[in-house]
C-alpha cells in the first residue's frame, strides 16, 4: 500500500472549469480531478484505479495526496496573481479517517489562500456513516476559510437529508438529471425543486455533465448558478490559456 508514497509522481492532477451562468463571477473556478499513470506512463482509467484504490483501502490516502497537492497549486497560482478557486474531492469514506482528515485540515491551515477559494467537494456520500462527525470535519475545514460542496445531488435518498444537516455552500446536481433536461419533464421538475431548496438555504447550484448550448440556455432559464461539462471544456492537466473563451460559452 506504500505504492502511493513511492510513486506520487504517478498521480496527475487534471482541472475542469466550472462556469458561472449569471456572469457575476470573475473567479476562475475548476474541479480538480485525478489521473494515474501506469508503468508505461499511459493514463489508467479513473474508474479502474479508483476500484483498485478502494479494494486496497487507499482512497483516503489518495484523497490526502490530491488535496494537499491541489492546495499547494492553489497557493502558488494565487501568489502569481491568478484569481482562482479549486474544488477538491473528498470521499465520504475519507471523512471517517480521522488521521487523514486531520492532515488535510492541518495542511489547509498552513496555506495563505483567499477566503472561500478552497472548496471541498464531498463525494460518495453513501459512504458517509456518521453525520455528527461529518459536521465536525466540515466545521474544521470552514474554520480555515474553505467552502463545502455536495456532489451527486439527487442520487440516492439521502441528498435532501444532507442538504438539511450539513453546512453547504454548493450542491452539484448529478449529470443524470442534466443530460436530458430539455427533453424530460420529470428531470426538469426535479432540478427546479433542488434549485428552490438550495436558494432558500443560500446554497449555490452547479449542474454537471452539461454537453450542449441548448442545456446551457435551459439551465439559465431555470436559474442554476454554475455549469460544468464537455460543452465548456474537457478536464486537462494544464489550465486553459483563456478562461474568457470558456466563459463565453455560457452566454446565449
Amino acid at each position: 500500500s506504500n505504492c502511493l508514497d513511492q510513486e506520487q509522481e504517478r498521480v496527475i492532477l487534471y482541472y475542469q472549469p466550472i462556469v458561472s451562468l449569471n456572469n457575476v463571477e470573475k473567479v476562475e473556478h475548476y474541479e480538480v480531478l485525478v489521473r494515474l499513470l501506469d508503468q508505461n506512463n499511459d493514463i489508467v482509467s479513473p474508474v479502474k484505479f479508483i476500484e483498485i484504490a478502494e479494494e486496497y483501502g487507499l482512497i483516503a490516502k489518495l484523497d490526502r495526496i490530491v488535496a494537499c497537492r491541489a492546495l499547494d497549486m492553489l497557493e502558488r497560482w494565487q501568489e502569481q496573481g491568478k484569481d482562482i478557486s479549486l474544488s477538491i474531492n473528498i470521499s465520504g469514506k475519507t471523512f471517517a479517517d480521522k488521521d487523514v482528515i486531520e492532515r488535510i485540515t492541518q495542511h489547509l491551515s498552513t496555506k495563505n489562500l483567499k477566503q472561500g477559494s478552497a472548496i471541498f467537494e464531498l463525494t460518495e456520500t453513501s459512504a458517509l456513516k456518521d453525520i455528527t462527525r461529518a459536521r465536525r470535519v466540515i466545521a474544521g475545514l470552514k474554520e480555515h476559510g474553505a467552502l463545502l460542496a455536495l456532489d451527486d445531488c439527487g442520487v440516492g435518498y439521502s441528498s435532501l437529508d444532507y442538504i438539511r444537516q450539513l453546512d453547504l455552500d454548493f450542491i452539484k446536481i448529478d449529470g443524470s438529471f442534466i443530460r436530458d433536461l430539455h427533453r424530460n419533464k420529470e428531470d426538469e421538475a426535479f432540478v427546479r425543486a433542488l434549485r428552490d431548496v438550495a436558494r432558500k438555504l443560500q446554497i449555490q447550484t452547479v449542474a454537471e455533465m452539461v454537453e450542449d448550448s441548448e442545456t446551457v440556455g435551459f439551465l439559465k432559464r431555470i436559474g442554476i448558478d454554475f455549469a460544468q461539462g464537455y460543452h465548456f471544456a474537457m478536464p486537462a492537466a494544464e489550465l486553459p490559456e483563456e478562461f474568457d473563451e470558456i466563459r463565453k460559452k455560457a452566454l446565449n
Side-chain angles (χ1 to χ4, degrees):
S1 85
N2 64 354
C3 74
L4 282 180
D5 284 342
Q6 294 160 5
E7 312 209 8
Q8 275 209 34
E9 66 275 11
R10 301 206 167 274
V11 177
I12 310 287
L13 302 191
Y14 270 46
Y15 305 92
Q16 186 176 35
I18 298 173
V19 182
S20 169
L21 294 177
N22 45 32
N23 304 312
V24 291
E25 210 29 86
K26 281 293 162 264
V27 179
E28 293 188 25
H29 188 168
Y30 302 91
E31 179 180 356
V32 178
L33 298 159
V34 60
R35 298 290 181 266
L36 213 61
L37 296 178
D38 66 14
Q39 266 39 50
N40 310 317
N41 288 334
D42 293 324
I43 286 180
V44 181
S45 93
V47 176
K48 190 171 160 196
F49 90 70
I50 290 214
E51 272 170 16
I52 294 167
E54 284 191 327
E55 196 177 318
Y56 293 102
L58 292 173
I59 284 288
K61 195 170 200 177
L62 187 61
D63 279 355
R64 189 196 83 223
I65 291 170
V66 171
C68 291
R69 195 182 299 173
L71 291 168
D72 292 347
M73 293 303 295
L74 184 57
E75 185 178 51
R76 188 183 313 164
W77 282 323
Q78 288 184 3
E79 280 167 358
Q80 291 166 4
K82 280 190 195 296
D83 193 0
I84 200 168
S85 66
L86 293 183
S87 223
I88 302 163
N89 292 304
I90 296 191
S91 159
K93 284 194 184 70
T94 303
F95 263 62
D97 190 320
K98 197 159 165 287
D99 183 48
V100 167
I101 286 291
E102 251 165 43
R103 288 175 73 173
I104 292 172
T105 309
Q106 167 60 29
H107 195 70
L108 174 66
S109 74
T110 65
K111 296 280 139 195
N112 179 24
L113 300 172
K114 235 173 129 167
Q115 175 75 25
S117 63
I119 299 151
F120 288 98
E121 198 170 301
L122 180 53
T123 62
E124 291 183 277
T125 44
S126 55
L128 198 60
K129 297 285 176 272
D130 183 345
I131 201 119
T132 315
R133 185 178 146 63
R135 289 168 70 154
R136 266 206 311 278
V137 169
I138 290 166
L141 294 168
K142 291 199 152 195
E143 237 166 75
H144 300 295
L147 299 180
L148 210 92
L150 183 66
D151 197 25
D152 299 333
C153 241
V155 179
Y157 294 114
S158 40
S159 289
L160 283 171
D161 206 36
Y162 293 138
I163 292 172
R164 205 165 51 89
Q165 297 205 50
L166 302 177
D167 181 10
L168 301 172
D169 302 283
F170 299 89
I171 60 172
K172 299 192 80 174
I173 303 168
D174 191 74
S176 57
F177 301 103
I178 303 299
R179 269 190 312 224
D180 298 318
L181 194 54
H182 44 291
R183 292 185 290 273
N184 185 319
K185 280 282 174 257
E186 287 86 359
D187 286 352
E188 184 191 340
F190 193 78
V191 169
R192 284 182 186 275
L194 276 176
R195 174 212 62 193
D196 289 343
V197 170
R199 273 196 185 156
K200 290 223 163 55
L201 298 171
Q202 293 177 308
I203 298 171
Q204 308 242 10
T205 46
V206 184
E208 295 185 293
M209 288 179 72
V210 176
E211 286 168 7
D212 51 54
S213 60
E214 204 179 345
T215 305
V216 173
F218 213 77
L219 291 166
K220 290 177 85 163
R221 282 199 294 283
I222 292 175
I224 298 301
D225 301 301
F226 294 89
Q228 165 178 16
Y230 294 164
H231 174 66
F232 297 104
M234 306 281 280
E238 303 291 326
L239 296 188
E241 291 288 308
E242 276 298 321
F243 200 83
D244 280 340
E245 291 305 305
I246 293 170
R247 220 178 246 128
K248 278 185 193 138
K249 298 179 183 178
L251 302 170
N252 69 346

